[in-house]
Amino acid sequence: MIAQCLGQPIRRTEDYRFLRGQGRYVGDISVPDLLEVAFLRSIHAHARVVNVRTKRAKSVSGVVEVLSGKDIAADDLNPKAIKAGAFFPLLVSNVAYYVGEPIALVAALSRHIAEDGCDEVEVDYEPLPVIAGIDAALAAGAPLVREDVENNVAVRKEIGYGNVEIGFREAEVVIEEEFRLARAAAHALEPRGILASPDTATGGLTIWAGTQMPYLLRRAIAQFLGLPERLIRLIAPDVGGAFGSKAGIYSEDFLIPYVAWTLKRPVRWQEDRKEHFVATLQGREQVHSIRLGAKRNGKLVAVENTLWMDMGAYPVWPHLMENTARTLPGPYNLPHYRCIINGVVTHKTPAGPYRGAGRPQGNFVMERMIDRLAEATDLDPAEVRRRNLIRSEEMPYEHPIGRTYDSGDYRKLLDETLKLIDYSNFREKQTRKEGKFVGIGLSTYIEDTGGAGAYEGALVRLEVDGSFTVYSGAPASGQGHETIFAQAVAEYFGVPMERVHVIATDTSAPLHLGLGTFGSRSAGIAVGAIWEACKKLELRIKELAQCLLEVSPEDLEISGGGVEVKGTPSKRVTLDRVGELANSMPLAPLPAGVLPGAEATGYMRSRPQYSCGTHACVVEVQQETGEVKLLRYIVVHDCGTLLNPMIVTGQVHGGVAHGVGTALFEELRYDENGQLLNGTYMDYLLPTAGDLPMIRVEHLEFPSPFTPTGAKGAGEGGTIPALACVANAVEDALKPLGIHIRQLPITPDRLFELMVARREK
């Protein structure tokens, strides 16, 4: 093998084209005779759509097609889409349940013309009562959000273990709290988009989509159109960020192929920013009522939590609440636990996964309660954590929640973080300067990675020139897959990285099946599938090499870009020579027993691996404005074997930014009529470079026994603990005022009001 290709901080190879504007996104695809689509969307959060008149829209010059919900209903398309896996009806044919729900589609020669056509669609609405939040939905006598959801609670489930009643009888300290987290959204650099083009050669469709799940989307579209999967070619080109928002299957994902199929003409829809605020899945919004019991020495005894999640108009992602409930116990020894989850429907955009997919909320609630426990027992927050953390000698730890924590040393991660943040000296020094409040916060966490989906697939091929080609079912959306996947193959076969070529996910590739990129599964499961393919390909390469070396495969090994006889390195053959044999097209017969081809497919079953770590930050709160400024941020992180430390560090940086956004800035605000009040970036704030300090990341490696390389996922570990870390620091800074942080985001106006109220008392 070459000198440890895996584990090296190799620069991302894909960045060469990105930095030169050579990325290829859905909006960059150019095909002749292309139509562009715009959608007319509901202006009401809840209204009966009495009539949709499209005659004037169809008369607009350049408009080619106009579809309404009645057209969809006439073709019986909504049931087909739902059966195929759509989360929502395609177009409203009766009742609109949220602002932004699509009512009509206009296809035209350009997007501008399509939007002009939308302006000419006439809709008669009959407004209906609106429920725009959890409290309103649960209020006595509240009208139903949907007739098919009793009491506006679509999901109710209990998750837990032990006996919380016994636990609280044993508790010497009991703390109760309520926490609220606001609604936010992913806001990827590239909004959603899809282009479908008829393929005259096959009689099917070629589709380019910004999706996290190409194979699943292909199957859904094929089922919807009633076509064999082989007639649908789905390509995931460069995907400009996703963070969960592109994991679902939306109505647009069916309508665009449908229009292309019926018109026999290429059709594209590219979401604009205004649409993104109301049409793409949103996340985070939950309310928690939690009770914690402990001994006076800080040892946890029991936790009972009830959570309510605003699922929006369509209750399509109930497992997000389960993620919250299963994450909440965290890395702690907690004898008794019960969480009751309630999925509440409202007249808002449907909720879905957003980086962390329910896990940040669970961590936030538990880590806030750990700080509350420290306050109640007069113990240091770091010490309370240390006394409750699962010990390294207990690994792998069979958690009673029903998961196996595979590896990690939680106390070592905590101690290293405390050292880097200079925690003990911070506590000893006078840190609250005149006119300012400075505080320090901690958050210890676990991140279950790689457990989503049943498997992942990959195919690796030896080419005629001795290079390798890699096909994966896991498309990239900014994670650096081209680099990581190439590193894995280069490491396995001992070749330079430039001899490995990673192909963008394309369902026409020789790989039969794949699931996609979600749930922090690429490092463990996608690379694991590549590793399994390499194992099989190694056997095939040795079978071919034996014909050239006249030695049995068991006596051969692959090293340094060739195959050699064990113990006799001078007797070897290069991989390009093997590639020639594998891909030869001779007129004369091949050597006896030799058949062409050198490729292998590998699949790896999904199994959770648990990344973990501790975050610490120092903040300053200005009493004149309520503004929170981050002064320092430390991350000590374990994601098993590091495949590329530079890329993992970048993932952590981005994750922290997402978490800080949720903690301090991001909130989709709706009024009582279900109207979004801040649907532009003038009003919806995202963290910028100026809002973040230099983030120091240190890695400790505790390899997972569940993956071939020992790697664990890293996509969400930066986000999960950041919410609580920042909130704990703000509360610590404001201890002189006795302010408790119960609501996110911690906006200046919200914090200023709390500070004024405390001073008045």
Side-chain angles (χ1 to χ4, degrees):
M1 288 189 179
I2 60 176
Q4 290 295 313
C5 184
L6 278 182
Q8 296 301 310
I10 296 170
R11 291 181 181 233
R12 296 177 10 142
T13 56
E14 52 266 66
D15 288 348
Y16 183 86
R17 69 175 191 277
F18 290 153
L19 294 174
R20 287 163 175 77
Q22 296 169 349
R24 193 165 181 258
Y25 303 90
V26 171
D28 296 317
I29 309 299
S30 178
V31 294
D33 207 26
L34 178 66
L35 297 177
E36 301 279 359
V37 163
F39 286 92
L40 177 72
R41 300 180 181 275
S42 174
I43 61 173
H44 293 282
H46 191 204
R48 193 174 309 282
V49 178
V50 179
N51 195 17
V52 179
R53 295 182 293 278
T54 60
K55 183 177 180 180
R56 287 172 53 184
K58 290 177 179 179
S59 67
V60 173
S61 177
V63 168
V64 176
E65 178 68 289
V66 182
L67 293 177
S68 69
K70 289 182 179 179
D71 300 315
I72 298 298
D75 283 352
D76 199 31
L77 296 181
N78 270 336
K80 291 180 183 177
I82 298 300
K83 186 175 181 180
F87 288 158
F88 328 112
L90 299 181
L91 294 172
V92 174
S93 58
N94 186 11
V95 177
Y97 288 108
Y98 64 94
V99 172
E101 189 166 11
I103 290 177
L105 172 154
V106 177
L109 299 179
S110 73
R111 174 65 182 244
H112 297 298
I113 296 173
E115 290 177 353
D116 289 343
C118 286
D119 290 341
E120 298 302 321
V121 176
E122 300 171 282
V123 183
D124 296 329
Y125 293 100
E126 179 186 312
L128 298 170
V130 175
I131 299 293
I134 293 174
D135 294 338
L138 299 177
L144 293 180
V145 171
R146 305 172 53 90
E147 292 182 359
D148 57 344
V149 178
E150 185 179 354
N151 299 323
N152 295 329
V153 178
V155 179
R156 181 173 278 118
K157 186 174 181 179
E158 183 175 314
I159 292 174
Y161 56 84
N163 188 314
V164 292
E165 286 76 16
I166 292 175
F168 279 106
R169 284 200 295 269
E170 296 174 352
E172 298 167 345
V173 178
V174 176
I175 307 163
E176 296 187 33
E177 270 294 359
E178 180 179 279
F179 297 106
R180 291 177 174 261
L181 297 96
R183 178 169 283 238
H187 299 284
L189 193 61
E190 178 202 25
R192 291 186 294 124
I194 182 169
L195 188 159
S197 179
D199 188 328
T200 56
T202 65
L205 289 173
T206 298
I207 298 171
W208 293 265
T211 177
Q212 296 173 238
M213 308 166 78
Y215 284 85
L216 288 175
L217 182 55
R218 175 189 65 169
R219 174 160 296 179
I221 293 170
Q223 290 176 347
F224 172 66
L225 295 177
L227 296 174
E229 283 188 42
R230 67 178 181 274
L231 294 184
I232 303 292
R233 179 188 181 189
L234 201 143
I235 304 165
D238 292 322
V239 180
F243 314 116
S245 67
K246 297 173 184 175
I249 302 176
Y250 295 80
S251 57
E252 297 92 348
D253 296 323
F254 290 98
L255 286 167
I256 300 307
Y258 171 75
V259 174
W261 181 251
T262 55
L263 296 181
K264 303 302 179 187
R265 188 168 176 177
V267 178
R268 172 169 55 202
W269 169 72
Q270 184 74 60
E271 183 183 59
D272 65 24
R273 288 296 176 187
K274 183 178 179 181
E275 284 182 293
H276 180 79
F277 271 96
V278 295
T280 291
L281 293 170
Q282 301 170 353
R284 294 281 194 265
E285 187 172 8
Q286 292 183 358
V287 176
H288 291 256
S289 179
I290 185 168
R291 187 165 62 121
L292 180 147
K295 299 291 187 180
R296 295 196 185 281
N297 62 2
K299 293 285 286 183
L300 295 170
V301 175
V303 167
E304 183 174 37
N305 182 52
T306 302
L307 80 85
W308 296 268
M309 173 178 160
D310 188 331
M311 304 185 78
Y314 293 93
V316 292
W317 287 90
H319 80 270
L320 299 179
M321 293 178 289
E322 296 185 23
N323 285 348
T324 301
R326 296 186 188 281
T327 299
L328 195 147
Y332 302 114
N333 262 308
L334 176 61
H336 306 283
Y337 173 61
R338 178 165 63 206
C339 184
I340 301 170
I341 61 178
N342 300 276
V344 181
V345 290
T346 65
H347 292 121
K348 290 193 285 196
T349 302
Y354 167 37
R355 199 169 193 168
R359 298 171 185 86
Q361 297 95 311
N363 177 269
F364 172 79
V365 171
M366 187 63 174
E367 290 298 301
R368 295 296 295 115
M369 292 300 284
I370 292 290
D371 269 31
R372 286 284 195 280
L373 177 59
E375 181 182 46
T377 55
D378 199 25
L379 293 169
D380 186 89
E383 182 58 28
V384 172
R385 287 171 170 81
R386 184 180 291 105
R387 292 182 184 186
N388 287 286
L389 288 172
I390 296 164
R391 299 187 305 275
S392 59
E393 55 267 28
E394 297 178 85
M395 295 293 178
Y397 180 77
E398 296 295 335
H399 199 286
I401 199 69
R403 302 286 181 87
T404 300
Y405 293 2
D406 50 340
S407 65
D409 189 333
Y410 304 147
R411 294 186 181 191
K412 187 173 183 179
L413 291 158
L414 171 64
D415 291 340
E416 185 67 17
T417 306
L418 298 178
K419 182 175 73 174
L420 292 175
I421 201 77
D422 197 18
Y423 187 82
S424 58
N425 285 333
F426 183 95
R427 284 294 183 208
E428 291 172 4
K429 292 177 181 177
Q430 176 62 37
T431 58
R432 294 177 179 91
K433 301 175 184 178
E434 186 174 350
K436 297 178 181 178
F437 295 97
V438 179
I440 191 167
L442 300 172
S443 182
T444 298
Y445 69 99
I446 55 167
E447 175 195 3
D448 59 306
T449 73
Y455 63 88
E456 191 49 74
L459 183 143
V460 182
R461 174 189 291 157
L462 177 65
E463 303 291 355
V464 67
D465 62 354
S467 65
F468 293 87
T469 302
V470 183
Y471 302 90
S472 171
S477 54
Q479 301 91 336
H481 284 185
E482 289 181 34
T483 305
I484 292 290
F485 294 173
Q487 281 183 264
V489 175
E491 175 81 9
Y492 194 95
F493 290 110
V495 299
M497 270 187 64
E498 55 265 27
R499 302 289 287 166
V500 183
H501 308 284
V502 179
I503 305 300
T505 305
D506 182 340
T507 62
S508 69
L511 175 64
H512 179 55
L513 284 174
L515 284 185
T517 303
F518 50 92
S520 298
R521 68 199 304 269
S522 296
I525 307 303
V527 171
I530 291 171
W531 208 257
E532 292 300 317
C534 288
K535 283 183 183 179
K536 295 178 182 178
L537 182 56
E538 177 186 6
L539 298 177
R540 176 60 179 151
I541 290 172
K542 289 179 179 179
E543 287 176 356
L544 292 165
Q546 74 169 329
C547 301
L548 302 172
L549 295 170
E550 298 181 344
V551 176
S552 66
E554 293 78 14
D555 295 327
L556 297 175
E557 62 183 1
I558 299 176
S559 177
V563 186
E564 61 188 42
V565 178
K566 293 178 182 177
T568 313
S570 59
K571 192 173 182 180
R572 73 192 313 269
V573 63
T574 60
L575 285 175
D576 57 350
R577 180 70 185 90
V578 178
E580 288 176 8
L581 180 61
N583 297 279
S584 62
M585 294 184 291
L587 297 177
L590 288 166
V594 177
L595 292 174
E599 66 181 36
T601 300
Y603 290 98
M604 182 171 175
R605 287 186 177 277
S606 298
R607 182 174 182 179
Q609 316 101 47
Y610 280 83
S611 296
C612 49
T614 299
H615 287 205
C617 71
V618 177
V619 305
E620 178 183 296
V621 180
Q622 295 194 358
Q623 62 175 331
E624 296 86 357
T625 63
E627 180 184 3
V628 176
K629 183 177 181 181
L630 285 164
L631 303 179
R632 296 185 66 196
Y633 206 104
I634 302 292
V635 176
V636 180
H637 182 255
D638 162 40
C639 61
T641 303
L642 289 171
L643 303 181
N644 185 318
M646 183 183 297
I647 288 179
V648 174
T649 298
Q651 284 281 317
V652 173
H653 282 180
V656 169
H658 265 128
V660 169
T662 300
L664 297 179
F665 300 103
E666 298 184 53
E667 180 176 10
L668 291 164
R669 298 191 178 192
Y670 287 81
D671 67 13
E672 66 277 6
N673 296 313
Q675 297 290 334
L676 182 63
L677 300 176
N678 57 339
T680 73
Y681 293 125
M682 291 293 291
D683 304 299
Y684 182 90
L685 300 182
L686 295 169
T688 66
D691 297 310
L692 297 168
M694 292 299 293
I695 302 168
R696 179 170 179 180
V697 180
E698 296 291 336
H699 303 286
L700 300 182
E701 296 181 71
F702 299 97
S704 172
F706 298 159
T707 63
T709 63
K712 302 185 274 192
E716 294 154 306
T719 301
I720 291 169
L723 287 64
C725 185
V726 172
N728 286 340
V730 171
E731 186 166 291
D732 183 61
L734 298 175
K735 268 190 176 178
L737 297 179
I739 289 175
H740 285 166
I741 303 300
R742 297 183 171 92
Q743 186 173 4
L744 295 185
I746 312 167
T747 57
D749 57 334
R750 201 167 272 155
L751 199 53
F752 184 77
E753 288 178 6
L754 289 173
M755 294 167 70
V756 169
R758 293 303 298 180
R759 287 198 188 96
E760 289 177 351
K761 288 185 178 181

